[in-house]
Amino acid sequence: MAKSRKRQRDLEEQAPTEQVDSPNDESEDDDGPVIEDDDATSSEDEGDAPKPTPQPVIQSSIKSDGRYNNKQRLLLLSSRGVTARYRHLLEDLRTMIPHSKKESKLDVGKNYSGGITGGGYGAAVNEIAEVRGCHTVLFLECRKRGQDGYMWLGRTSHANSSFEGNGEGAATAGGKHLMITGGPSVKFHITNIHTMDELKMTGNCMKGSRPVLSFDKSFDHIDHLKLIKHLFIDVFGTPRGHPKSKPFVDRVMAFYYADGKIWVRNYQILEEAAATAKEAHSQKKMTGHSHSTSLIEIGPRFVLNPIRIFRGSFGGQTLYVNNEFVNPNVARAMEKKTQGEKYVRRKGAQKKRKLKDESIVVPLDPLADVFK
């Protein structure tokens, strides 16, 4: 028994030495060291080769943290005396612009004078915007019993009120009073109005969705259109994260410049997937995508003819004047004058015909009484 226990103890002492020797033998006989040599040579070859130049990382200039920071508010109102067409257009714009604030019709008397911008609609709108905390304004004004419609777009005095209390802003502004009174503002003559209910278009979008603002290339080359473009972005562009907006982009609001006027359209972005594999293959062959994207008009549509651009809010120094604009009163006067000229010509022809008939004298027939 003692001999067997001693032999078992000797075997246990020899077992670790054999386990230690076995990996050494394998490392010397197997291909392990060869692999290490290959790695070493490959690393040396890579060190000799020129390293590629790192590409510059392009970082976006606009960094969004996902919060509601751009707290722009739009005051949307009209003057008293607007017709049903303008009232429906205003309601359509309210549904399109979730960051707008509704206000009742504005009726300002001739004797009203308030604020530093003078009397009239400008002073009243600036006061309302300051009370409601609105930075921009869309004011629809009607004249001549609804025959002529004018749209005002601009930044109110509330938008630039920070320059009054901030010393640095006042220094950069040069201490001028115009920075405190707001601006700039643009006056348009609005024509060719068609509302959503009138058009009955098949396009539809989610209420409160954020639009993609599409501008014609003319807005990047013409000076006064550059300023109007920024105003359109402030008015029609829904701020990101607004409580009443939806986190979807399913419509496009397009602005085109043609014939000296701005044509405004509103479209739905519709993406349709192919119904069959054959249609998907043909669609991908033509466009590179298996689905098709199209635009369907929603409405409303209207045309804006810029009249004048002011430096302040509803007044101030004139920055641009459209010399090709013809006042609707002058156009109606010329039309009435043309109609009056037609009336004068017609009456003159009648008088000449009457005088001609009177000048024609039939001589007496001497044989007229023979058979009596």
Side-chain angles (χ1 to χ4, degrees):
M1 294 292 292
K3 292 181 179 180
S4 61
R5 290 178 181 176
K6 185 178 180 181
R7 186 177 181 182
Q8 185 176 1
R9 194 181 299 115
D10 297 335
L11 292 174
E12 290 176 358
E13 291 176 358
Q14 293 177 3
T17 58
E18 293 176 359
Q19 293 178 358
V20 173
D21 294 337
S22 60
N24 292 333
D25 297 335
E26 291 178 358
S27 62
E28 293 175 358
D29 299 335
D30 295 341
D31 298 333
V34 178
I35 296 175
E36 293 178 1
D37 294 338
D38 292 337
D39 294 336
T41 54
S42 61
S43 63
E44 292 177 359
D45 295 336
E46 290 178 359
D48 297 335
K51 296 181 180 180
T53 57
Q55 296 294 332
V57 179
I58 301 175
Q59 296 181 356
S60 177
S61 59
I62 301 175
K63 295 182 180 180
S64 176
D65 55 357
R67 298 179 180 178
Y68 177 39
N69 296 323
N70 183 17
K71 298 183 179 181
Q72 292 266 355
R73 288 177 292 273
L74 170 69
L75 179 64
L76 210 154
L77 74 164
S78 65
S79 64
R80 188 164 296 278
V82 295
T83 58
R85 182 180 296 273
Y86 294 105
R87 189 171 63 252
H88 293 167
L89 173 65
L90 210 65
E91 191 64 29
D92 293 343
L93 292 177
R94 288 194 187 105
T95 58
M96 289 168 51
I97 306 173
H99 64 282
S100 63
K101 286 192 175 183
K102 185 178 179 181
E103 186 66 25
S104 59
K105 295 179 181 178
L106 184 62
D107 189 6
V108 179
K110 295 182 179 179
N111 297 327
Y112 176 79
S113 61
I116 52 181
T117 57
Y121 285 116
V125 170
N126 284 324
E127 289 181 2
I128 296 173
E130 186 175 359
V131 172
R132 301 295 299 272
C134 297
H135 302 80
T136 54
V137 63
L138 191 153
F139 178 62
L140 199 59
E141 180 184 2
C142 285
R143 297 180 181 177
K144 298 294 181 180
R145 297 182 180 180
Q147 296 183 23
D148 303 334
Y150 298 93
M151 179 183 289
W152 288 81
L153 294 179
R155 299 184 65 86
T156 60
S157 58
H158 180 74
N160 297 329
S161 60
S162 60
F163 285 92
E164 185 177 5
N166 190 0
E168 296 179 358
T172 55
K176 293 184 179 180
H177 203 64
L178 289 173
M179 295 303 296
I180 304 173
T181 58
S185 58
V186 187
K187 183 180 181 181
F188 298 98
H189 180 229
I190 182 170
T191 56
N192 298 338
I193 300 174
H194 299 282
T195 60
M196 292 183 185
D197 297 335
E198 180 185 358
L199 292 175
K200 295 182 180 179
M201 294 291 183
T202 58
N204 190 13
C205 66
M206 181 174 291
K207 184 178 180 180
S209 61
R210 301 179 64 206
V212 175
L213 301 181
S214 175
F215 294 92
D216 190 7
K217 62 181 181 180
S218 302
F219 285 87
D220 296 330
H221 302 292
I222 304 177
D223 293 334
H224 70 278
L225 291 181
K226 294 179 181 179
L227 190 145
I228 295 174
K229 177 181 177 181
H230 288 283
L231 287 178
F232 282 159
I233 293 173
D234 292 340
V235 172
F236 296 103
T238 303
R240 186 179 187 273
H242 192 273
K244 293 184 180 180
S245 65
K246 302 296 187 300
F248 297 99
V249 180
D250 59 351
R251 66 186 181 95
V252 176
M253 198 163 186
F255 302 91
Y256 305 103
Y257 184 73
D259 196 19
K261 302 176 183 179
I262 301 173
W263 305 69
V264 183
R265 298 291 184 267
N266 188 26
Y267 298 99
Q268 175 197 0
I269 303 174
L270 181 63
E271 293 186 0
E272 294 180 347
T276 60
K278 185 177 181 181
E279 293 180 0
H281 178 71
S282 60
Q283 184 71 23
K284 190 173 182 179
K285 188 176 181 180
M286 289 187 297
T287 61
H289 301 282
S290 59
H291 61 275
S292 61
T293 304
S294 59
L295 298 178
I296 302 176
E297 187 172 358
I298 304 173
R301 59 164 69 169
F302 50 90
V303 179
L304 299 175
N305 190 4
I307 302 174
R308 192 181 291 263
I309 299 178
F310 300 96
R311 185 175 182 179
S313 178
F314 290 87
Q317 181 183 359
T318 301
L319 301 179
Y320 169 77
V321 178
N322 187 4
N323 297 323
E324 297 180 357
F325 173 74
V326 179
N327 196 308
N329 293 329
V330 177
R332 281 191 295 268
M334 293 175 62
E335 185 178 358
K336 289 182 179 180
K337 185 178 180 181
T338 304
Q339 294 177 356
E341 291 176 354
K342 290 182 180 179
Y343 177 79
V344 170
R345 287 196 298 267
R346 186 172 67 251
K347 288 298 182 180
Q350 291 178 0
K351 188 176 181 180
K352 287 181 180 180
R353 187 166 56 252
K354 185 178 181 180
L355 294 175
K356 184 178 180 180
D357 293 342
E358 292 177 355
S359 63
I360 297 175
V361 179
V362 180
L364 296 175
D365 188 6
L367 302 175
D369 299 334
V370 173
F371 298 101
K372 288 184 178 179

